């Protein structure tokens, strides 16, 4: 049977929204709690569901769709590569790998790029890199490497990573947890200094989100990253910035660290790097830090595959113009100003930077989830994080008119 026939048989085009939801619920565990929207098509900032309803996507797949759905340049790059070669594994070279690493290194002002697939894999790669650097360069005694992380962090879902989460929902019942991580409060440079000074010879890295995403778009106090850089330099500790959600234009700069002119030792990137088309992540840093691997010590079958690299190359060249960043900064100001002016501070606090906002609801009134459901009915897709915060993160290609359209619907529901 031809693939298309088989596809048709499995998924009759006549299924209604409720049937799709029921079918999904029947055959998948409940590890997510999606809004009852079944997307069938999308373009730019707009998505259309199986029953023809149109929504403005103000979530962007948690930042993976910075360039919107199916950006023509990214789709063209993917199509062209699909007709050439899609996968080689790293057993051989491919002709998209070099240009992608070259371009991303230049964008980040770094020497080396180590591509992976998902964000969590890139975080794991950064952890392995920091530990190996600790043993091979810093001279940390075997198995003593220690990494400092922040409360309310979110770095992914692997067993190592959830082990150093402070969120019970993320962590509980998935132990035993790996040792070697210490939690400190976020945004508190004194706490970082104290934690490093407690074991300076064993501390290899400070792993931090320059703005905490899943925690509710928490922007640290001014000067925090600068102070972290200084403390890390003083004690020979790597500053590892998880920019998986905050990076690649979202905050109005290429990286959120750029707002303080801080350069980390390692950037951890993902989400938007794959252009919203496929998973592509990377760890980016200096030769001194990242060039510690010997052949066979790390890798991934799909990491650096030619299809992902072709799309990633196009993403990098779009960002290299600086245009998406400038646009996000300009429109972000408009969005944050409108949210701050339109929401009563007694009812909700608005945090954010660039085209990225968290609206923290005061107790009482409808829950964040109920408000997201109401907004979906009004044609605006956003999602709650941690029950009390609504995350707003439109694709960076949204026009001013589309943003105003969304705000007109958002503000009454947030009030
Ligand atoms: N790090 C940060 C800051 C994130 O926001 C996320 C995902 O939301 C991850 C890591 C994990 O990325 P992935 O879901 O691609 O594994």
């Amino acid at each position: 049977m031809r693939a298309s026939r088989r596809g048709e048989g499995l998924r009759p085009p006549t299924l209604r929204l409720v049937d799709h939801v029921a079918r999904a619920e029947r055959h998948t565990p409940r590890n997510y709690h999606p809004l009852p929207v079944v997307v069938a098509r999308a373009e730019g900032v707009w998505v259309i569901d199986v029953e023809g309803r149109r929504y403005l996507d103000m979530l962007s797949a948690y930042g993976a769709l910075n360039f919107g759905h199916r950006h023509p340049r990214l789709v063209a790059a993917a199509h062209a590569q699909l007709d050439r070669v899609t996968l080689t594994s790293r057993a051989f070279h491919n002709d998209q790998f070099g240009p992608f690493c070259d371009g991303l290194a230049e964008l980040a002002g770094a020497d080396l790029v180590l591509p992976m697939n998902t964000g969590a894999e890139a975080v794991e790669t950064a952890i392995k890199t920091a530990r190996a650097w600790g043993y091979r360069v810093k001279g940390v005694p075997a198995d003593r490497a220690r990494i400092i992380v922040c409360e309310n962090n979110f770095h992914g879902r692997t067993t190592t990573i959830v082990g150093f989460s402070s969120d019970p929902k993320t962590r509980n019942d998935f132990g035993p947890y790996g040792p070697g991580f210490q939690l400190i409060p976020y945004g508190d440079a004194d706490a970082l200094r104290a934690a490093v000074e407690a074991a300076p010879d064993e501390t290899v890295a400070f792993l931090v989100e320059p703005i905490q995403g899943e925690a509710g778009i928490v922007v640290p106090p001014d000067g925090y990253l600068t102070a972290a850089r200084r403390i890390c330099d003083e004690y020979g500790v790597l500053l590892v910035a998880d920019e998986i959600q905050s990076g690649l234009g979202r905050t109005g700069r290429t990286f959120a660290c750029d707002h303080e002119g801080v350069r980390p030792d390692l950037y951890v990137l993902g989400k938007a790097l794959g252009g919203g088309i496929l998973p592509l992540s990377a760890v980016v840093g200096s030769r001194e830090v990242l060039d510690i691997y010997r052949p066979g010590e790390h890798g991934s079958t799909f990491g650096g595959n030619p299809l992902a690299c072709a799309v990633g190359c196009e993403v990098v060249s779009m960002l290299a113009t600086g245009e998406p960043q400038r646009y996000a900064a300009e429109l972000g100001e408009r969005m944050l100003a409108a949210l701050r002016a339109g929401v009563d501070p007694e009812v909700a606090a608005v945090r954010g930077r660039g085209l990225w906002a968290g609206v923290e609801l005061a107790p009482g009134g409808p829950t964040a989830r109920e408000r997201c459901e109401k907004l979906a009915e009004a044609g605006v897709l956003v999602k709650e994080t941690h029950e009390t915060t609504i995350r707003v993160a439109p694709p960076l290609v949204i026009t001013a008119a589309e943003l105003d359209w969304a705000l007109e619907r958002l503000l009454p529901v947030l009030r």
Side-chain angles (χ1 to χ4, degrees):
M1 192 192 281
R2 282 184 299 124
S4 58
R5 278 265 182 87
R6 198 161 62 219
E8 280 161 24
L10 282 172
R11 233 178 299 127
T14 49
L15 274 190
R16 291 174 315 133
L17 186 146
V18 286
D19 302 323
H20 280 282
V21 172
R23 186 172 268 199
E25 286 176 352
R26 204 158 52 237
H27 295 296
T28 189
R30 285 166 300 165
N31 55 326
Y32 276 92
H33 184 23
L35 290 172
V37 174
V38 181
V39 176
R41 282 180 295 143
E43 185 163 358
V45 298
W46 297 98
V47 303
I48 297 175
D49 77 5
V50 285
E51 292 176 358
R53 273 181 296 267
R54 220 160 75 110
Y55 306 82
L56 207 162
D57 183 352
M58 294 288 280
L59 179 67
S60 307
Y62 304 101
L65 287 160
N66 277 5
F67 305 99
H69 293 268
R70 298 169 54 244
H71 189 288
R73 275 181 66 175
L74 302 176
V75 168
H79 275 161
Q81 193 58 38
L82 275 171
D83 288 337
R84 297 179 62 230
V85 58
T86 54
L87 185 62
T88 54
S89 80
R90 295 285 308 277
F92 316 109
H93 291 277
N94 73 70
D95 65 359
Q96 301 300 307
F97 186 87
F100 167 67
C101 296
D102 202 22
L104 183 54
E106 188 172 339
L107 183 75
D111 304 320
L112 300 184
V113 170
L114 176 40
M116 299 298 282
N117 308 283
T118 65
E121 272 180 298
V123 172
E124 291 275 358
T125 302
I127 291 168
K128 281 177 73 173
T129 304
R131 286 177 173 170
W133 173 87
Y135 300 127
R136 295 172 188 179
V137 179
K138 181 165 167 162
V140 173
D143 292 340
R144 301 291 304 168
R146 182 171 166 267
I147 295 176
I148 300 171
V149 293
C150 290
E151 285 167 9
N152 302 319
N153 70 66
F154 186 84
H155 296 288
R157 302 283 190 182
T158 61
T159 48
T160 296
I161 294 172
V162 300
F164 60 81
S165 169
S166 61
D167 175 16
K169 218 170 175 175
T170 302
R171 181 173 200 270
N172 285 6
D173 294 335
F174 302 120
Y177 309 112
F181 298 95
Q182 185 185 337
L183 278 167
I184 59 168
Y186 184 65
D188 182 343
D190 293 337
L192 174 62
R193 178 174 287 283
V196 172
E197 286 178 352
D201 299 338
E202 295 179 357
T203 306
V204 294
F206 175 45
L207 168 63
V208 65
E209 296 160 85
I211 294 175
Q212 286 188 325
E214 295 302 304
I217 327 301
V218 179
V219 183
D222 281 346
Y224 177 59
L225 297 172
T226 312
R229 178 71 276 177
R230 196 178 321 117
I231 295 164
C232 287
D233 286 343
E234 256 177 67
Y235 291 95
V237 169
L238 301 178
L239 178 60
V240 181
D242 181 346
E243 295 249 19
I244 286 168
Q245 205 167 148
S246 61
L248 308 180
R250 172 60 50 196
T251 68
R253 304 292 294 266
T254 306
F255 303 108
C257 285
D258 294 345
H259 289 280
E260 288 196 32
V262 162
R263 184 183 287 259
D265 297 291
L266 294 176
Y267 288 107
V268 192
L269 305 174
K271 293 201 193 276
L273 197 56
I277 296 181
L278 30 65
L280 174 59
S281 63
V283 175
V284 181
S286 68
R287 188 172 301 281
E288 194 217 344
V289 176
L290 204 43
D291 203 14
I292 42 86
Y293 289 105
R294 302 171 191 126
E297 285 186 338
H298 190 58
S300 153
T301 306
F302 284 85
N305 70 75
L307 184 57
C309 286
V311 174
C313 254
E314 206 58 32
V315 165
V316 168
S317 60
M318 284 161 74
L319 286 165
T321 65
E323 266 313 303
Q325 298 89 315
R326 274 191 289 280
Y327 190 72
E330 191 185 309
L331 233 64
E333 253 176 55
R334 186 190 183 105
M335 181 178 90
L336 288 169
L339 286 172
R340 288 190 174 120
V343 176
D344 182 348
E346 300 269 314
V347 176
V350 178
R351 297 183 293 261
R353 185 160 275 166
L355 273 171
W356 201 23
V359 182
E360 170 110 34
L361 303 162
T367 63
R369 168 81 190 189
E370 285 163 352
R371 291 176 206 249
C372 290
E373 285 168 358
K374 199 150 186 222
L375 280 163
E377 278 165 27
V380 174
L381 296 183
V382 285
K383 192 75 170 57
E384 78 280 6
T385 174
H386 290 297
E387 280 109 46
T388 52
T389 304
I390 293 178
R391 178 196 336 228
V392 186
L396 310 185
V397 295
I398 192 170
T399 64
E402 287 164 338
L403 180 61
D404 291 345
W405 186 92
L407 286 165
E408 259 173 49
R409 284 150 185 82
L410 262 165
L411 288 171
V413 175
L414 296 178
R415 267 184 218 123

